[in-house]
Amino acid sequence: YPITLDANNCPATPVPDTTRCLKFSSSTNFIYTPSTTTNPQSYTLATNKSGNYLSSSPITNICPLNFIVVPGSSTYGTNDFCVMKYEAKQVGATTTPISQASGLPWVNISQTTAIANAPNTKNQDGSTCTTCHLITEAEWMTIAQNVLSVASNWDNGAGVHTVGTGYIYSGHNDNVPANALEASSDDTLGYAGTGQSTPSNQKRTLTLTNGEVIWDMSGNVYDWTSGTIAGSAQPGLAGEVAYAWKQWNNASLLQNGLPTNSMPASTGVAGITWNSSAGVGQLYSNYGEVGARAFLRGGLWGHGGYAGVLYLDLRYSAGSANTGIGFRVSR
């Protein structure tokens, strides 16, 4: 919540914001009181019309600082939830994740360890988020569905922003530089560290329908979700015995045991061609795989057109870890 409001009842500090303002009818005054002067987690609002005060109880923010609110989706059975605005960072050499712009993503972590460490997440006020968990597959797809539906996340290369026209921004994926990047605390700097600028597809920020901004949903490093798939259940092409890339709209793609809700078409967003030319990412799978595997989403800094918000990599087991694999926590 804002610490102070400007003359137009818009947040002035700590971050100016003209998109989420308090609007009042004529002849109505108000008193806005944040819970603290440094990091407000709640506020009280009193309104005054014709001399009568109507005062609310303190309203508590459902998300800690550097988490964002994600609108729930009936498609995926999710209610509104909070998710890390940034890929998880590690506090020192501890088992404690934190959401912050500074620092490189926490990598070399397995899905198993990410699940175990998620409840250790440190909030910016120093408290522990005991209700935090590794982002679920349903939550990831809820975010993907949401950002896919927002026109400003799309670019045709000529300044036209229409859902399904051109490409959705796919983040740092061109291997320049050939490493993961820090984020920025300034959401207007979506190309931070990439050396690119509009209309490049390397923009690292995506905007949700409620105006919230999330960093590095695609590119930078892989993110685990809590999803898993059993042996002999992978989607892919009939007869294949090795891992390979596939476009999601490949007419020969067999869904096999992949849940329908993990397929791009489940988002229900109209007008999108489900292939890498639209920036949504690809599938890396092996129809002949007999071992259980875990879900990696988003893609890596050097994955090019393979990366995207619907990228899905099924080659790794839940215990696998490497320098390109990170995670994100929700609550």
Side-chain angles (χ1 to χ4, degrees):
Y1 292 109
I3 296 170
T4 59
L5 305 180
D6 65 17
N8 296 314
N9 304 328
C10 301
T13 59
V15 179
D17 183 353
T18 60
T19 63
R20 287 180 283 269
C21 308
L22 297 170
K23 302 296 183 182
F24 295 89
S25 59
S26 59
S27 73
T28 299
N29 301 314
F30 75 96
I31 299 171
Y32 170 82
T33 308
S35 58
T36 74
T37 59
T38 55
N39 180 21
Q41 296 297 307
S42 65
Y43 69 88
T44 300
L45 184 67
T47 61
N48 175 14
K49 186 172 180 65
S50 301
N52 297 316
Y53 278 94
L54 299 174
S55 181
S56 74
S57 298
I59 302 171
T60 302
N61 190 0
I62 65 168
C63 293
L65 188 66
N66 289 340
F67 280 67
I68 63 167
V69 179
V70 178
S73 168
S74 59
T75 306
Y76 303 107
T78 54
N79 296 316
D80 292 5
F81 63 94
C82 303
V83 70
M84 282 182 167
K85 182 183 180 77
Y86 312 101
E87 290 169 313
K89 313 295 169 59
Q90 186 177 17
V91 178
T94 69
T95 60
T96 304
I98 192 169
S99 180
Q100 61 184 31
S102 61
L104 294 175
W106 185 349
V107 295
N108 269 321
I109 188 168
S110 68
Q111 185 198 55
T112 302
T113 304
I115 290 171
N117 289 353
N120 301 334
T121 297
K122 180 181 179 182
N123 296 321
Q124 292 291 327
D125 64 1
S127 62
T128 300
C129 179
T130 57
T131 60
C132 282
H133 57 266
L134 179 63
I135 189 171
T136 67
E137 180 68 5
E139 289 169 341
W140 184 280
M141 291 300 293
T142 295
I143 300 170
Q145 178 188 51
N146 190 294
V147 298
L148 284 163
S149 72
V150 176
S152 64
N153 295 326
W154 291 82
D155 200 312
N156 75 338
V160 174
H161 302 283
T162 304
V163 172
T165 299
Y167 48 80
I168 187 171
Y169 298 119
S170 48
H172 171 41
N173 65 14
D174 65 354
N175 212 37
V176 181
N179 52 258
L181 297 173
E182 285 189 301
S184 171
S185 58
D186 185 344
D187 290 342
T188 67
L189 301 179
Y191 289 97
T194 66
Q196 304 292 317
S197 59
T198 187
S200 167
N201 71 342
Q202 299 292 294
K203 189 175 183 182
R204 300 169 57 195
T205 54
L206 294 168
T207 303
L208 280 71
T209 53
N210 60 359
E212 297 276 26
V213 175
I214 191 166
W215 281 76
D216 297 318
M217 269 288 285
S218 56
N220 215 34
V221 299
Y222 307 102
D223 286 340
W224 289 115
T225 76
S226 63
T228 58
I229 193 164
S232 303
Q234 287 205 19
L237 304 179
E240 79 178 339
V241 294
Y243 281 88
W245 296 103
K246 294 100 178 171
Q247 298 282 7
W248 284 109
N249 63 347
N250 186 330
S252 298
L253 181 64
L254 301 173
Q255 183 178 331
N256 200 6
L258 183 69
T260 298
N261 276 0
S262 292
M263 299 287 287
S266 70
T267 63
V269 183
I272 300 175
T273 301
W274 300 116
N275 63 27
S276 55
S277 66
V280 299
Q282 294 190 29
L283 167 69
Y284 195 67
S285 69
N286 174 12
Y287 193 76
E289 176 63 72
V290 297
R293 294 293 183 262
F295 283 35
L296 278 174
R297 289 287 189 176
L300 193 63
W301 62 75
H303 269 161
Y306 300 130
V309 294
L310 295 173
Y311 170 104
L312 176 59
D313 191 325
L314 298 174
R315 82 183 96 170
Y316 294 107
S317 67
S320 300
N322 66 43
T323 56
I325 296 178
F327 68 109
R328 195 181 298 261
V329 166
S330 58
R331 55 173 285 178

